[in-house]
């Protein structure tokens, strides 16, 4: 193996460092992943983890590789579960590929109790399946795609207010007028607008009237004013905490801080303290503003107003973190950064035991999704049914050509017994039963590869704690090139 | 709500699919499978002989067995595999993030006659995802190394590399392929490919000859987002039908760069566009080489100075490089997903086992995994595939410059450097051409002349050539009062 220097690693990983940063890369390089079964799907997942630099991986491979990599037994994994289940405790994440149901559930139970994330993957004909099993996965850096800005125009903090007041739009020269940031413009016009019920169109007109006019009376070309008008819609959104973050604040772990409490919850509790005691009901100021037409000085000055406020708020939060940790006899190690406060996420998956138990099966989700009889839910039920078939016949349906026809009726019995056992009043079309016999438990490479990419990225999310993993069942239908996510 | 798969294709295309299937199978030849003695090193195991028992079982399942969701005219056959192995010819455009994955997926799915075109050489930053390449390959042509790797690992597979631009080939090259799949990183190249396949279409008495259609499967990725689409030229939406789906490139206004920088990016662009030409730091006539670390270092330092002048923070080496090279973040996983989806479509079309994607899938795994599959519609007056000459509405007193501006700025056209010719007094006259310096100089005065002055008449046809299309596009001049 090549020993890479930091510089050459920066080069090699440049394109992904721009997504998850050096700290994310470090998490990846410190991780140790366990892959069970290096079938086509397994090796694809592994490739997509090795390429971005996963620290270490262990393959538990229990079967002979035949001509088509059919999965005949998982005896090695079962052996470990029998004799040394703690073998799995060393891993950051366990990925199980093409596991028979019994092995999967046993392993699931071991990993659930040990609090180790478990990602179940399978390729079955033209269907891909993933199941994430993790008790609680917290995310500080979720990197949302289209987040709204945090401009506080409805409740400007003191420094922002003073800064806005320092502008005199009417008294300005033309050049300054045309290069005033739109945030200032909207703020100024809000001061003139006394009604509490905003009619956005009327407000936009008010701003438009503020555009300078030439001697002839025609409006000048003031792009900053056009920007202000365009941004009225979002700029007037009231500052508030999202329900998602609110839920996190109300979580149990937020209330009882002990010496065992993970960093995420200490931070979150500290933010909550800030909201109630220092922020007037608001989160710490995020500190970023979008680019806008303005001269450099005006923009930078305005940007710094927000940045400095964000830093001030962050240090208040950090003080709360310090005192919380002190109260349980610990020392503070990480600094708090304001910019993620609005985007905290917590993912909690139900265990496999809960999904499979008759008492706790998610009947509602299954039944309502089956309203669309050709959606992805039927594929989930078929996967459960072929597992049942495997339990009864020690093989999957339709592996050999001569079996396809005769297995259809046998598989149908499995489908019916499954629906009966869980009291699922749904109809599974015969076409799907036929199709799943046709598949013969094959693992076509393009489907395995799709799953390989999907699974690897979910694994990376778990390891780096950046971006948000799915919750908790993902189905890929290669026939229609559609996917669905269910919470089962 | 998803209806039954058979209803996803419009009636005409179902009929065309029949003919396509028929013409593909007509070319099947029977050939004895050649016995090979090389070892297969795909999973780390080794085998004796070339074809081994069960090698293509996972593919035969879909070719030999009937099923309820197959294409209505699919006929299970033990010979279909031979078509895939021996006859079907696939062209892969691009041997980068998508291309490497595509070649692997196709080779493992039984395709053996594959050509790959890529004009690039391997860079270290490719190695986090373009897995057919190793550190020792840096600097070598991507197409060559990719072909070597696949041919060496997959017995029987014959990938033919072309270290060339797609524009280096003409229709005689493209015509030989059954299916073309693109893993490009440029919209211009996509549009060119699109135009090339449209130019191959044959119409007899206004009716499209289905055997002249070469399906185009196009994949694109950017960070954690990607898309895969299936195009049947002349039948389904083409690249230009949906040009608005591609987000416009971000170009900062000159006045911002020159005198009012606010972001670290503005500072870098200032150095790249204004300071470098002025200071010529590495000598006269030495242009900025984005791949030269010394050049980037110079840009980085000057950008920091510029930023300091305006109290702007955030200029880093990584940011500088990103701006100069227009870097798009990339990871292995997204490329694997999109390429796999594309390869599945290649298989479906080549085997007629299933109805292909109709016709556009979008993928995003920033938050969970999200896909959206829809049918992109053909644009009635698409400048590329509609066969309807585009109208240009201008006053006779409008300057030619206005026409050029329209061709470049219009969202559906987005041309880069259009060359305009017209037939005047029986002769073909170049009104303006930008890409050849001498002609540009000669025709530049025309830009400030009015259309009337140039002798153009109402209803006149203008022929426009551009890098975005291999064919000349015809426009009809329609004078407004």
């Amino acid at each position: 193996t090549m020993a890479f220097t930091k510089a050459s690693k920066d080069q090699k990983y440049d394109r992904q460092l721009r997504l998850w940063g050096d700290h994310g890369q470090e998490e990846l390089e410190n991780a140790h992943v366990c892959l069970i079964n290096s079938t086509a799907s397994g090796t694809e997942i592994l490739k997509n983890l090795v390429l971005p630099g996963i620290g270490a991986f262990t393959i538990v491979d229990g079967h002979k590789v035949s001509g088509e990599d059919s999965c005949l037994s998982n005896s090695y994994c079962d052996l470990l579960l029998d004799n040394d289940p703690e073998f799995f405790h060393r891993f950051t994440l366990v990925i199980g590929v093409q596991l028979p149901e019994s092995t999967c559930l046993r392993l699931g139970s071991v990993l659930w109790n040990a609090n180790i994330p478990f990602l179940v993957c399978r390729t079955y004909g033209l269907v891909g399946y993933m199941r994430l099993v993790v008790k609680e996965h917290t995310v500080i850096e979720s990197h949302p795609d289209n987040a709204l800005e945090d401009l506080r125009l409805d409740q400007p903090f003191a420094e922002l207010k003073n800064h806005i007041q320092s502008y005199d739009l009417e008294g300005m020269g033309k050049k300054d007028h045309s290069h005033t940031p739109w945030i200032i413009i909207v703020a100024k016009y809000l001061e003139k607008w006394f009604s509490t019920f905003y009619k956005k169109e009327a407000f936009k007109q008010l701003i438009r009237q503020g555009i300078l006019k030439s001697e002839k009376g025609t409006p000048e070309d003031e792009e900053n004013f056009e920007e202000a008008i365009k941004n009225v819609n979002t700029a007037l959104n009231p500052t508030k905490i999202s329900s998602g973050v609110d839920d996190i604040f109300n979580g149990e772990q937020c209330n009882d801080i002990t010496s065992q409490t993970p960093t995420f919850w200490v931070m979150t509790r500290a933010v909550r303290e800030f909201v109630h005691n220092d922020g007037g009901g608001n989160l710490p100021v995020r500190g970023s503003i979008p680019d806008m037409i303005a001269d450099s000085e005006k923009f930078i000055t305005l940007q710094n107003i927000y940045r400095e406020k964000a830093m001030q708020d962050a240090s208040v939060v950090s003080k709360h973190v310090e005192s919380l940790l002190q109260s349980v006899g610990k020392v503070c190690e990480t600094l708090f950064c304001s910019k993620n406060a609005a985007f905290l996420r917590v993912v909690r998956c139900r265990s496999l035991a809960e999904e499979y138990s008759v008492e706790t099966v998610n009947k509602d989700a299954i039944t309502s999704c089956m309203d669309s009889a050709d959606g992805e839910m039927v594929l989930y039920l078929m996967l459960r049914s072929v597992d049942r078939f495997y339990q009864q016949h020690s093989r999957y349906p339709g592996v050999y050509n001569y079996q396809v026809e005769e297995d259809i009726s046998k598989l149908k019995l499995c489908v019916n017994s499954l629906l009966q056992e869980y009291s699922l009043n749904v109809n599974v079309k015969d076409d799907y039963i036929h199709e799943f016999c046709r598949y013969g438990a094959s693992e076509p490479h393009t489907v395995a590869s799709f799953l390989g990419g999907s699974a690897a990225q979910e694994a990376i999310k778990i390891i780096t704690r950046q971006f948000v993993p799915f919750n908790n069942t993902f189905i890929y239908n290669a026939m229609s090139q559609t996917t669905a996510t269910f919470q089962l | 709500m998803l209806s039954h798969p058979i209803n996803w294709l419009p009636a005409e295309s179902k009929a065309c699919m029949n003919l396509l299937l028929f013409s593909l199978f007509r070319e099947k030849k029977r050939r004895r499978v050649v016995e090979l003695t090389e070892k297969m090193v795909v999973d780390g195991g080794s085998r004796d002989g070339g074809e081994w028992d069960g090698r293509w079982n996972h593919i035969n399942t879909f070719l030999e067995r009937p099923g309820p969701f197959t294409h209505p005219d699919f006929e299970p056959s033990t010979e279909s595999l031979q078509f895939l192995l021996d006859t079907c010819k696939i062209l892969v455009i691009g041997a980068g993030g998508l291309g490497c994955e595509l070649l692997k997926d196709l080779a493992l799915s039984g395709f053996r006659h594959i050509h790959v075109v890529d004009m690039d050489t391997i860079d270290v930053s490719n190695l986090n995802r373009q897995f057919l390449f190793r550190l020792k390959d840096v600097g070598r042509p991507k197409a060559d190394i990719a072909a070597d790797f696949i041919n060496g690992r997959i017995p029987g597979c014959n990938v033919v590399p072309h270290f060339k631009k797609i524009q280096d080939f003409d229709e005689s090259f493209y015509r030989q392929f059954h299916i073309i799949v693109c893993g490009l990183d440029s919209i211009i190249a996509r549009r060119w490919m699109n135009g090339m396949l449209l130019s191959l279409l044959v119409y007899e008495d206004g009716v499209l000859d289905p055997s002249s259609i070469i399906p185009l499967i196009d994949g694109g990725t950017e960070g954690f987002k990607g898309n895969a689409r299936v195009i049947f030229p002349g039948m389904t939406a083409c690249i230009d039908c949906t040009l608005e789906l591609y987000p416009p490139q971000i170009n900062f206004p000159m006045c911002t760069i020159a005198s009012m920088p606010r972001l670290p990016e503005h500072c870098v662009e200032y150095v790249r566009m204004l300071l470098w030409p002025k200071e010529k730091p590495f000598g006269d006539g030495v242009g900025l080489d984005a791949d030269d670390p010394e050049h980037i270092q110079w840009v980085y330092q000057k950008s920091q100075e510029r930023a300091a002048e305006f109290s702007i923070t955030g200029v880093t080496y990584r940011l500088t490089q990103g701006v100069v090279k227009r870097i798009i973040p990339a990871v292995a996983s997204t490329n694997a997903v999109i390429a796999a989806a594309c390869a599945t479509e290649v298989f479906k079309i080549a085997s007629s086992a299933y109805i292909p994607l109709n016709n556009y899938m979008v993928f995003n795994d920033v938050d969970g995994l999200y896909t959206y599959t829809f049918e992109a519609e053909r644009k009635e007056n698409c400048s590329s595939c509609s066969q309807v000459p585009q109208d240009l509405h201008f006053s006779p007193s409008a300057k030619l410059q206005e026409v050029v501006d329209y061709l470049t700025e219009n969202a559906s056209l987005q041309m880069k450097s259009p060359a305009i010719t017209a037939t005047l007094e029986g002769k073909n006259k170049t009104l303006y051409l930008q890409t050849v310096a001498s002609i540009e100089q000669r025709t530049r005065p025309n830009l400030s002349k009015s259309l009337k002055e140039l002798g153009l008449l109402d209803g006149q046809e203008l022929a426009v050539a551009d890098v975005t299309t291999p064919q000349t596009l015809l426009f009809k001049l329609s004078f407004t009062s």
Side-chain angles (χ1 to χ4, degrees), chain B residues 136-199:
Chain B
K136 62 173 170 55
D137 301 321
V138 171
R140 310 264 318 274
K142 289 189 180 185
D144 294 344
I145 304 297
D148 281 347
F149 193 109
I150 298 283
N151 293 337
R153 289 294 192 96
I154 315 243
C157 192
N158 180 30
V159 179
V160 177
H162 302 276
F163 177 37
K164 291 218 163 91
K165 301 200 296 287
I166 50 174
Q167 292 87 352
D168 292 336
F169 297 102
D170 64 17
E171 33 175 69
S172 62
F173 174 76
Y174 292 107
R175 224 184 239 124
Q176 62 181 301
F177 298 102
H178 293 102
I179 302 170
I180 296 180
V181 56
C182 289
L184 288 164
D185 59 359
S186 126
I187 297 172
I188 294 178
R190 275 187 181 87
R191 294 178 69 186
W192 192 93
M193 211 48 237
N194 184 62
M196 167 53 73
L197 295 189
L198 287 170
S199 75

Side-chain angles (χ1 to χ4, degrees), chain A residues 55-67:
Chain A
F57 60 90
T58 298
I59 304 176
V60 174
D61 196 16
H63 58 281
K64 284 200 190 129
V65 177
S66 73

Side-chain angles (χ1 to χ4, degrees), chain A residues 90-202:
Chain A
R90 75 197 69 187
F91 300 114
T92 322
L93 165 73
V94 175
I95 304 176
V97 174
Q98 313 292 82
L99 295 173
E101 186 178 294
S102 57
T103 313
C104 191
L105 292 175
R106 287 186 68 199
L107 184 56
S109 163
V110 166
L111 298 174
W112 182 262
N113 294 330
N115 248 318
I116 296 176
F118 181 30
L119 183 60
V120 182
C121 302
R122 69 197 292 198
T123 298
Y124 199 96
L126 293 181
V127 176
Y129 163 87
M130 288 198 294
R131 170 61 153 102
L132 179 65
V133 193
V134 59
K135 262 188 205 159
E136 180 179 279
H137 177 79
T138 58
V139 184
I140 296 177
E141 289 180 88
S142 57
H143 304 290
D145 252 341
N146 290 309
L148 292 172
E149 303 282 348
D150 181 26
L151 302 177
R152 304 293 166 111
L153 284 170
D154 59 333
Q155 18 180 323
F157 46 92
E159 296 86 343
L160 180 59
K161 237 187 192 155
N162 291 340
H163 184 64
I164 294 165
Q165 261 154 32
S166 74
Y167 276 85
D168 172 20
L169 283 179
E170 278 80 29
M172 279 180 163
K174 180 166 180 293
K175 192 155 187 227
D176 282 326
H177 197 263
S178 306
H179 292 95
T180 297
W182 71 253
I183 288 178
I184 302 289
I185 297 172
V186 171
K188 281 293 200 190
Y189 279 88
L190 275 178
E191 287 171 8
K192 301 186 187 197
W193 192 254
F194 295 112
S195 136
T196 50
F197 175 60
Y198 298 109
K199 285 227 161 173
K200 285 179 180 172
E201 281 314 308

Side-chain angles (χ1 to χ4, degrees), chain A residues 2 4 8 10-20 22 43-44 47-48 51-52 65-69 125-126 130 142-143 145 179 291-296 299-300 307 345 371-372 374 376 398-401 404 431-432 434-435 437-440 442-447 449-450 453-454 457-458 461 467-470 474 476 478-483 485, chain B residues 1-4 8 43 47 52-55 57-58 61-70 74 101 104-105 108-109 123-125 127-129 131 135 223-225 259-263 266 310-313 318-319 321-322 325 327-333 336-337 340-345 348 353-355 357 361 363-371 373:
Chain A
M2 289 285 308
F4 276 104
S8 57
D10 275 355
Q11 270 188 302
K12 176 174 171 185
Y13 295 134
D14 178 84
R15 300 299 186 269
Q16 69 200 38
L17 293 173
R18 289 167 192 274
L19 291 166
W20 54 65
D22 296 307
T43 46
E44 282 290 341
K47 158 179 118 323
N48 295 324
L51 281 170
V65 177
S66 73
E68 52 176 302
D69 283 343
L126 293 181
M130 288 198 294
S142 57
H143 304 290
D145 252 341
H179 292 95
D291 189 26
M292 60 193 73
I293 304 283
D295 64 51
S296 310
F299 179 83
I300 300 296
R307 279 185 179 172
R345 296 281 296 270
D371 279 344
S372 113
D374 294 299
E376 278 70 39
V399 174
Y400 295 103
N401 282 350
V404 180
D431 280 347
Y432 290 99
H434 180 180
E435 184 73 357
C437 282
R438 177 175 189 250
Y439 288 157
S442 61
E443 203 181 350
H445 206 91
T446 59
V447 185
S449 200
F450 188 103
S454 306
Q457 189 52 35
E458 296 310 300
K461 289 178 188 177
F467 306 95
V468 185
F470 72 108
F474 173 80
Y476 166 58
M479 288 186 284
S480 58
Q481 300 285 19
T482 52
T483 67
T485 302
Chain B
M1 295 271 282
L2 284 179
S3 59
H4 191 281
W8 296 336
D43 308 312
R47 293 169 178 60
W52 52 91
D53 245 9
R55 182 182 184 189
N57 278 2
H58 60 290
T61 299
F62 298 98
L63 300 177
E64 291 179 2
R65 299 177 176 191
F69 297 115
T70 58
F74 169 72
E101 288 283 337
K104 176 255 302 168
D105 288 340
L108 288 171
S109 300
D123 180 71
V124 174
S125 64
L127 301 179
N128 78 328
R129 63 203 184 278
F131 68 98
L135 192 59
F224 297 122
K225 301 183 189 168
S259 52
M260 278 191 309
R262 297 176 297 268
L263 303 178
H266 299 159
F310 293 88
S311 308
I312 296 171
T313 59
R318 190 177 284 166
L319 181 135
Q321 211 184 23
K325 295 179 77 164
I327 289 178
I328 295 175
V331 287
S333 58
V337 167
C342 290
T344 295
E345 292 308 308
K348 285 182 191 171
Y354 287 89
I355 295 177
L357 165 67
M361 181 188 83
F363 173 87
N364 181 344
D365 65 356
V366 167
D367 186 342
L369 301 109
Y370 167 80
T371 62
T373 309

Side-chain angles (χ1 to χ4, degrees), chain A residues 403-421:
Chain A
Q403 291 171 328
V404 180
E405 279 299 319
E406 51 185 65
D407 282 348
I408 292 176
S409 49
K410 293 193 190 121
L411 182 57
K412 185 157 187 175
L413 290 175
C414 295
V415 173
N416 290 338
S417 91
L418 178 83
L419 298 180
Q420 221 177 35
E421 182 180 325

